[in-house]
Amino acid sequence: MTIVQKGAPFIKKAAIELLAPAKDLAGGRAAISHGADAVYIGADRFSARAAAGNTMADIESLCRFAHGFHAKVYLALNTLLYDHELKNAKTLIHEAWNAGVDAVIFQDMAFFEMDLPPMALHASTQMHNMTPEHIAFLEAAGVSRVVLARELDLEAIGRIRKKTNLDLEAFVHGALCVSHSGRCWMSLAMGGRSANRGVCGQPCRLPWDLMDEKGKGISGGKHLLSLKDMDRSEGLLSMLEAGVSSFKIEGRLKDISYVKNVTAFYRKKLDAAMEIWGRGERASHGDSSFTFSPDPAKTFRRGGTDYFLYGRRQKIWQMDTPKAMGEKLCRIQSLEGGILFLEGAADLASGDGLCFLDSAGRMRGFHINRAEGKRVWPAPDALKGLKVSDVAGSVLYRNGDIRFRRMLESEKSASRKLAVTLVFREGEKDFVLEMGDSATGLCVEVCSGFDREPAKNPAAAQETVRRQLEKLGDTAFEAKDVLVETGPWFFRASALNALRREAAEKLAALRLEKYERPRRKPAAEGFETLSYPESSPDASFNVSNAMARAFYEKHGSIVQAMAFEKEGLPPGTRVMTTHHCLRYAFGACPRWHGADGGGSWHLKGNRVSFTLVFDCAACCMHVVSENAVQD
């Protein structure tokens, strides 16, 4: 039996990537099966999501699965590193390279000074990738891709695209970090938990009181810094035209149902946008089919915002609750005898999770026992103590669709297949099955010496062979066409099955063999003498080890202060800069609402307070710590 390679090498147009999160091996495989061109995953250390770590054995298994579709796996190693951790981090990257990982996502400049394998480098959004000058420096250093700051609009992305040849990765869906580029020290200030070390306490999701410069209360007990989730599903074509080549879904802490649903949704949306755009193609191979209709509102969702993609034009915040509300159903008419009466009928099922905001603005959630038309029977005592006035007129949401979740929990919620052509022909001595992969031009031939036994029904013989050969079953392949070029011979089904299985195994192995991982780009000529755009990096640049400090200083930048995680964070420190402006949110913006501006405002929490300083020229808000946490 022989294996051959036929066809010219496959030539790609612009590769457009849908990038999905992988909490673990199962989540990564699900993302690939549901249409992702690449996934990003954390190891058991040095990940910006410390709660989503994985063994290298699992990462290696995920790489094998992904590479079968020529999809990629990226290692998220985007935390700050201390001096004593550099050696361990370097070892981890070498292990990841040996496991098959395609690129590493990083934020620590020490990476440029390490002796690393030839793995591609992706600059994390924590590196504050906002300006063409900063990104041009990273390109010269040998970075292959930058993850753009979420705050950038289409015009800014377009300006960057004109100044660089790097891959531009941008977030399109999921939870939003309210601080610029995720560079936030609020959690560190409040409880010593550093977001830059992967253990953010998410104080932005807590309730706060808001006072003006005179101490007058503006708002009490609201989740003032809590944002809606990003949803740029209607802006994908505009992002393609602006120069984005990788579309990233957030969610390494989300469950597998979320990953399946959102990945499938964006697969369809991105394919449609690419068809209109017409200048690119998918970065991986194979088509996914789904047993459900993807709908992001049916899994974790805090509402949706395109988040400055078209400038400041939307309500980006969700101050009532940081929890998922889900899909909007209808309004509640009344509550009588423990039964909810709705203004409109809703297609509900026993076990669904519903929620609403009561008359005091508090979120109320419950499961239902049954529903008929406009009537809903909540679980016993779920709404105990509530009056009609508490619920009447409230919008009802479903944040737990039990039937939808059961569909997603099925292992067969999606199937991803590679189209192949099979040719069964008669040689001089043997019969030959040829299986060819149109995506790569690869082809295998497997031979077998069948006896030439005349078929009892010559007219149907070839069709019988064709039907048997197209049964590719649980393999990664799907028969696009089957050609039978033999005489009317009789073939045992078991023999044809064995030949088909062997061909599929050989083609799968050949695809893996011919898969080429991206390699780290060499630094540009003259990079050693190139100056970093910022001459005096302060603590906000997150320099946490001597190797990173030496890198900056080698490129003409004198580090003014090491990272707050190293030197501490005293009162009076700016812990966050955000485009989410509370003056704008409360109708007091000088630019948008003609207000007089006034002085600083204040956030008051249970044990800590912050001053809000407004930079109207830059249209952003700074959060400054006022006092240390009191034990």
Side-chain angles (χ1 to χ4, degrees):
M1 298 183 182
T2 59
I3 304 173
V4 298
Q5 180 176 357
K6 292 186 177 182
F10 182 66
I11 300 175
K12 287 187 176 182
K13 297 188 289 184
I16 303 302
E17 177 184 273
L18 177 61
L19 176 58
K23 180 179 182 179
D24 51 26
L25 172 59
R29 288 176 63 98
I32 297 294
S33 295
H34 287 71
D37 300 303
V39 295
Y40 59 105
I41 190 169
D44 56 3
R45 53 202 186 279
F46 307 132
S47 165
R49 296 289 185 270
N54 294 274
T55 67
M56 199 53 65
D58 278 356
I59 292 174
E60 182 175 6
S61 179
L62 178 58
C63 289
R64 287 195 301 271
F65 180 77
H67 293 168
F69 297 98
H70 286 207
K72 295 179 174 62
V73 176
Y74 305 139
L75 179 70
L77 207 162
N78 50 341
T79 56
L80 298 183
L81 301 173
Y82 298 147
D83 290 282
H84 70 277
E85 296 172 324
L86 294 177
K87 182 178 179 181
N88 196 1
K90 183 179 77 171
T91 299
L92 178 64
I93 297 171
H94 279 273
E95 291 173 354
W97 174 255
N98 293 333
V101 169
D102 294 278
V104 60
I105 306 169
F106 75 104
Q107 75 153 309
D108 200 307
M109 290 291 196
F111 275 52
F112 292 122
E113 298 290 287
M114 290 184 186
D115 179 19
L116 298 179
M119 187 186 294
L121 298 178
H122 293 182
S124 172
T125 188
Q126 283 101 328
M127 296 183 81
H128 206 44
N129 301 318
M130 294 193 76
T131 67
E133 296 77 18
H134 169 71
I135 291 170
F137 179 86
L138 293 176
E139 182 175 16
V143 166
S144 298
R145 175 184 295 184
V146 291
V147 187
L148 296 172
R150 291 172 172 89
E151 293 77 18
L152 294 176
D153 59 22
L154 288 169
E155 183 179 347
I157 294 172
R159 287 196 299 269
I160 291 170
R161 175 76 286 161
K162 292 176 181 178
K163 297 291 185 179
T164 182
N165 292 316
L166 291 180
D167 285 347
L168 300 183
E169 180 181 307
F171 283 92
V172 292
H173 194 91
L176 279 163
C177 191
V178 66
S179 182
H180 276 183
S181 300
R183 301 176 84 178
C184 179
W185 300 274
M186 197 173 188
S187 177
L188 184 68
M190 291 179 63
R193 297 180 61 182
S194 168
N196 291 303
R197 295 280 292 170
V199 287
C200 180
Q202 295 192 314
C204 55
R205 302 297 183 186
L206 296 176
W208 296 90
D209 296 331
L210 180 63
M211 273 77 78
D212 66 14
E213 66 278 5
K214 297 178 181 179
K216 179 182 177 181
I218 300 172
S219 174
K222 290 290 187 179
H223 303 269
L224 300 173
L225 298 178
S226 185
L227 301 183
K228 295 179 180 180
D229 287 352
M230 180 183 282
D231 181 349
R232 289 177 168 173
S233 57
E234 297 305 316
L236 301 183
L237 178 58
S238 297
M239 295 175 73
L240 283 168
E241 293 172 338
V244 173
S245 54
S246 178
F247 295 77
K248 187 173 190 174
I249 299 167
E250 181 277 339
R252 280 197 293 129
L253 295 181
K254 298 294 199 316
D255 64 24
I256 197 168
S257 294
Y258 168 93
V259 172
K260 289 180 175 182
N261 182 31
V262 176
T263 302
F265 177 78
Y266 275 88
R267 179 72 274 158
K268 290 188 170 185
K269 284 285 188 178
L270 187 55
D271 285 347
M274 287 170 59
E275 185 174 356
I276 297 171
W277 188 52
R279 298 196 296 276
E281 63 186 5
R282 288 185 55 177
S284 64
H285 305 155
D287 293 319
S288 296
S289 59
F290 315 112
T291 62
F292 64 100
S293 297
D295 182 354
K298 288 182 175 292
T299 44
F300 193 97
R301 181 179 173 89
R302 298 185 180 95
T305 171
D306 63 36
Y307 198 59
F308 303 110
L309 188 64
Y310 301 95
R312 189 182 292 278
R313 67 175 191 140
Q314 287 185 331
K315 175 184 172 182
I316 65 172
W317 56 87
Q318 173 53 280
M319 297 184 187
D320 293 317
T321 175
K323 298 181 180 179
M325 296 290 288
E327 57 179 321
K328 183 177 179 180
L329 298 177
C330 59
R331 289 191 179 275
I332 300 172
Q333 186 176 71
S334 64
L335 174 65
E336 301 176 19
I339 302 173
L340 280 179
F341 290 82
L342 312 181
E343 291 185 358
D347 181 20
L348 299 172
S350 299
D352 278 354
L354 304 181
C355 64
F356 62 91
L357 297 174
D358 66 18
S359 57
R362 294 184 296 264
M363 181 180 178
R364 302 282 186 164
F366 59 96
H367 287 89
I368 64 174
N369 278 349
R370 66 187 176 102
E372 294 178 3
K374 298 181 180 180
R375 294 180 297 170
V376 174
W377 283 261
D381 299 328
L383 302 181
K384 186 177 181 179
L386 289 181
K387 299 177 292 186
V388 174
S389 59
D390 294 322
V391 303
S394 296
V395 176
L396 186 66
Y397 297 83
R398 175 164 53 190
N399 57 4
D401 186 329
I402 192 166
R403 290 170 295 184
F404 190 76
R405 177 168 288 275
R406 284 171 179 165
M407 284 191 292
L408 289 177
E409 288 174 349
S410 167
E411 292 184 4
K412 299 298 183 182
S413 57
S415 177
R416 182 165 179 169
K417 296 292 185 179
L418 299 157
V420 293
T421 297
L422 293 90
V423 179
F424 186 55
R425 52 188 168 81
E426 194 170 348
E428 291 184 7
K429 296 181 178 180
D430 297 322
F431 289 88
V432 179
L433 177 61
E434 179 183 298
M435 185 180 290
D437 171 13
S438 59
T440 60
L442 296 174
C443 181
V444 298
E445 290 182 356
V446 181
C447 306
S448 183
F450 294 113
D451 293 332
R452 283 173 167 77
E453 181 180 345
K456 292 181 180 180
N457 186 350
Q462 289 188 332
E463 179 61 20
T464 301
V465 173
R466 189 193 67 78
R467 287 199 304 267
Q468 201 65 38
L469 291 176
E470 72 180 1
K471 295 178 181 178
L472 287 162
D474 292 334
T475 71
F477 303 113
E478 182 175 51
K480 181 180 179 182
D481 197 10
V482 180
L483 303 176
V484 180
E485 301 174 350
T486 69
W489 305 113
F490 167 76
F491 300 97
R492 296 185 186 280
S494 59
L496 290 173
N497 292 344
L499 197 65
R500 184 196 62 229
R501 282 194 298 268
E502 184 175 4
E505 291 170 1
K506 298 297 185 183
L507 184 57
L510 185 59
R511 282 182 55 86
L512 282 175
E513 178 188 332
K514 297 299 181 180
Y515 175 76
E516 293 185 6
R517 284 188 285 173
R519 295 293 194 271
R520 179 175 176 176
K521 295 169 54 180
E525 184 177 351
F527 175 70
E528 290 300 318
T529 60
L530 184 65
S531 296
Y532 184 70
E534 173 60 54
S535 60
S536 303
D538 58 18
S540 69
F541 280 70
N542 294 333
V543 182
S544 58
N545 58 72
M547 191 176 285
R549 181 170 194 157
F551 174 81
Y552 276 111
E553 295 182 350
K554 184 167 66 176
H555 291 278
S557 297
I558 305 303
V559 176
Q560 300 301 305
M562 299 294 279
F564 292 122
E565 286 80 359
K566 290 278 289 184
E567 297 190 349
L569 201 155
T573 298
R574 185 177 68 191
V575 298
M576 180 196 300
T577 297
T578 174
H579 266 34
H580 169 47
C581 178
L582 288 175
R583 268 194 186 154
Y584 176 83
F586 283 91
C589 173
R591 177 184 296 184
W592 292 87
H593 307 119
D596 60 6
S600 301
W601 288 4
H602 302 273
L603 279 179
K604 299 290 183 180
N606 185 29
R607 299 184 299 150
V608 68
S609 58
F610 296 90
T611 298
L612 304 180
V613 179
F614 302 95
D615 185 347
C616 293
C619 202
C620 63
M621 179 179 78
H622 305 295
V623 180
V624 179
S625 62
E626 292 182 1
N627 58 298
V629 176
Q630 300 299 315
D631 294 327

